[in-house]
Amino acid sequence: MYLKTMVRAAGVLALAAATGVHADSHTTTVTIATVNNGDMIRMQGLTDDFTSRNPDIALEWVTLEENVLRQRVTQDIATKGGQFDVLTIGTYEVPIWGNNGWLVSLNDLPADWDIDDLLPAIRSGLTVDGELYAAPFYGESSMVMYRTDLMEKAGMEMPEAPTWDFIRQAAAAMTDKDNEIYGVCLRGKAGWGENAAFITAMSNSFGARWFDEDWKPQFDSEAWANTLDFYMDLMTNYGPPGASTNGFNENLSLFQQGKCGMWIDATVAASFVTNPKDSTVADSVGFALAPDNGLGKRGNWLWAWSLAIPAGSDATGAAKKFIEWATSREYTALVASKEGWANVPPGTRTSLYENPAYLEAAPFAEMTLGSINAADPTQPTVDPVPYTGIQFVAIPEFAGIATQVGQEFSAALAGRQTAAEALAKAQALTAEEMEAAGY
């Protein structure tokens, strides 16, 4: 804590020197760990609004790539390192950490913040025993984003609820490698929140599951073989080169450059691919539900990037003020005034989806809300399972296990092993880790 205090003091003095304002003992610095996604970067650019209202609070940002962020904040909170006052964490961590007593309850946020305005599916995932342990900055499911011009050129029409077979046919028809246009872009970068998240959600629609009801790993099942074989076929034949290193941000860039016919990923990406400031194909993007195989489950997930306060923070009051600001309706209106309604953080509040200005500006709004509402973390798979979670399994061991499994899947995509070899290794390492954990 002494080191953190010294770092904070240096940061405040540097701010004072740059602005001509003299820091005093009444200044509180809030250190925020966040992910390098577009909405979070935009938030940093708008924080003058917060600091002008709260001159006694200084903000210090630690912005990290997704996999690195997960590792840093998990290590810090587990060891009570005290490096951060606000954590950007997801629907996976909140119930586990909240149950462990590692997070500060946010039930005492002001009444006008309006906790009851949160979408029920999002709020429930961030609540433990009636206590809200994180405030959602944006919520998401996943869906198909596609080039309407390329689909028309291929002589095909995207259904509102496509099957995986249709996705494969469309990917083949749209691929034009000579012109660097690839039919489909999917996550290949290793990570429990990167390729493992996508493939796990995909596997649900193929009838696969991580564990049976006795917590026995199921990677040796036919359903998992079908899932990974299909994924590998799509990516090998119709995906971009080097896909084993592509995560959300890399695929976003490829789509914006016009190099992807379809991209199946987070609904939050919709505002970025339709923003003419950043996307060369903004005027020719359509949306559809995540694919299925007719088994009753779609390949979509449920997630919220949320702001939480670690129990070890020595700036809890100031941190709550920041979280209240960043996740409020007023912040949404601020983004709208600067960037337009289509670019506000989506997927958290009912009121946003009742706002005519947003519905008019965001052609993807209805599909986003429908995808979020269709996701059911309590029954994520075709066959019964002992866990909750769609693109993750809500147990503490999952992050470590799925990181290793993601590495095996990525190695297969890179051509260093076969899909069968990747699944065999996934089965063995998962069985070993679960046995060691006492399941």
Side-chain angles (χ1 to χ4, degrees):
M1 194 61 69
Y2 171 78
L3 177 60
K4 180 178 175 181
T5 302
M6 294 299 291
V7 170
R8 285 181 166 175
V12 172
L13 289 173
L15 178 65
T19 62
V21 176
H22 294 287
D24 58 33
S25 59
H26 299 297
T27 301
T28 301
T29 299
V30 174
T31 304
I32 304 160
T34 195
V35 66
N36 65 341
N37 288 353
D39 282 297
M40 279 70 172
I41 293 171
R42 180 180 289 138
M43 174 173 60
Q44 294 176 48
L46 295 173
T47 49
D48 282 352
D49 180 80
F50 173 80
T51 53
S52 66
R53 299 171 190 230
N54 299 274
D56 57 337
I57 300 175
L59 303 178
E60 186 176 276
W61 295 90
V62 180
T63 306
L64 302 166
E65 186 270 333
E66 187 168 324
N67 286 341
V68 178
L69 173 78
R70 297 183 197 280
Q71 183 179 18
R72 284 280 300 276
V73 299
T74 301
Q75 181 180 28
D76 188 64
I77 202 164
T79 60
K80 300 179 180 178
Q83 294 182 51
F84 310 115
D85 302 300
V86 174
L87 309 174
T88 305
I89 57 178
T91 312
Y92 166 71
E93 293 94 347
V94 174
I96 297 172
W97 294 2
N99 194 55
N100 285 348
W102 292 354
L103 301 174
V104 174
S105 172
L106 301 180
N107 275 19
D108 59 350
L109 289 178
D112 60 3
W113 184 75
D114 196 1
I115 190 173
D116 292 327
D117 188 37
L118 299 181
L119 290 170
I122 299 297
R123 178 179 176 179
S124 65
L126 305 176
T127 302
V128 180
D129 296 331
E131 299 289 332
L132 185 74
Y133 280 109
F137 182 69
Y138 71 73
E140 66 181 36
S141 183
S142 54
M143 64 182 177
V144 182
M145 293 161 277
Y146 67 95
R147 292 272 300 278
T148 55
D149 56 336
L150 294 182
M151 191 69 71
E152 183 178 354
K153 182 180 178 181
M156 303 180 71
E157 184 175 345
M158 175 70 76
E160 182 178 317
T163 64
W164 282 109
D165 280 341
F166 177 87
I167 295 297
R168 177 164 51 190
Q169 293 170 29
M174 289 191 286
T175 297
D176 181 2
K177 293 184 179 181
D178 289 341
N179 290 303
E180 295 187 313
I181 295 175
Y182 305 96
V184 65
C185 293
L186 305 174
R187 298 188 188 193
K189 178 188 286 186
W192 74 262
E194 285 280 9
N195 68 337
F198 176 83
I199 297 172
T200 296
M202 180 181 183
S203 77
N204 295 335
S205 64
F206 278 75
R209 50 187 177 165
W210 267 73
F211 303 102
D212 67 12
E213 292 181 281
D214 296 319
W215 290 104
K216 301 299 182 186
Q218 298 295 294
F219 290 107
D220 57 358
S221 67
E222 182 180 358
W224 262 110
N226 292 339
T227 301
L228 200 57
D229 285 345
F230 191 94
Y231 169 84
M232 291 284 292
D233 176 66
L234 272 181
M235 296 295 280
T236 302
N237 293 313
Y238 315 118
S244 63
T245 61
N246 290 347
F248 174 86
N249 284 330
E250 292 81 8
N251 284 325
L252 170 61
S253 178
L254 286 171
F255 194 96
Q256 289 176 324
Q257 294 171 43
K259 295 187 177 182
C260 303
M262 295 176 290
W263 179 30
I264 306 171
D265 212 299
T267 54
V268 72
S271 67
F272 298 110
V273 298
T274 56
N275 186 342
K277 294 181 181 178
D278 304 312
S279 176
T280 63
V281 296
D283 60 349
S284 56
V285 182
F287 306 96
L289 293 172
D292 73 352
N293 272 321
L295 301 178
K297 296 295 177 182
R298 309 205 75 83
N300 64 308
W301 61 63
L302 184 67
W303 185 257
W305 275 118
S306 303
L307 303 179
I309 303 171
S313 170
D314 57 4
T316 299
K320 284 185 179 180
K321 285 186 177 181
F322 173 76
I323 289 176
E324 177 194 349
W325 171 82
T327 60
S328 66
R329 282 190 295 258
E330 290 72 25
Y331 174 80
T332 301
L334 175 64
V335 175
S337 71
K338 303 286 187 181
E339 304 285 345
W341 275 106
N343 296 305
V344 303
T348 64
R349 291 185 174 271
T350 299
S351 57
L352 181 64
Y353 293 91
E354 296 173 344
N355 184 331
Y358 180 66
L359 296 177
E360 182 178 350
F364 46 82
E366 184 177 342
M367 189 64 67
T368 295
L369 184 62
S371 297
I372 289 173
N373 288 337
D376 184 2
T378 64
Q379 294 181 312
T381 54
V382 174
D383 293 326
V385 289
Y387 56 84
T388 60
I390 298 176
Q391 77 277 29
F392 59 83
V393 177
I395 57 174
E397 295 79 13
F398 178 78
I401 295 172
T403 295
Q404 297 179 70
V405 170
Q407 290 167 350
E408 299 300 339
F409 291 166
S410 187
L413 185 58
R416 296 195 296 272
Q417 61 184 353
T418 65
E421 288 168 338
L423 288 171
K425 291 178 180 178
Q427 178 74 11
L429 71 88
T430 304
E432 182 179 352
E433 293 287 351
M434 293 295 283
E435 183 178 352
Y439 283 85

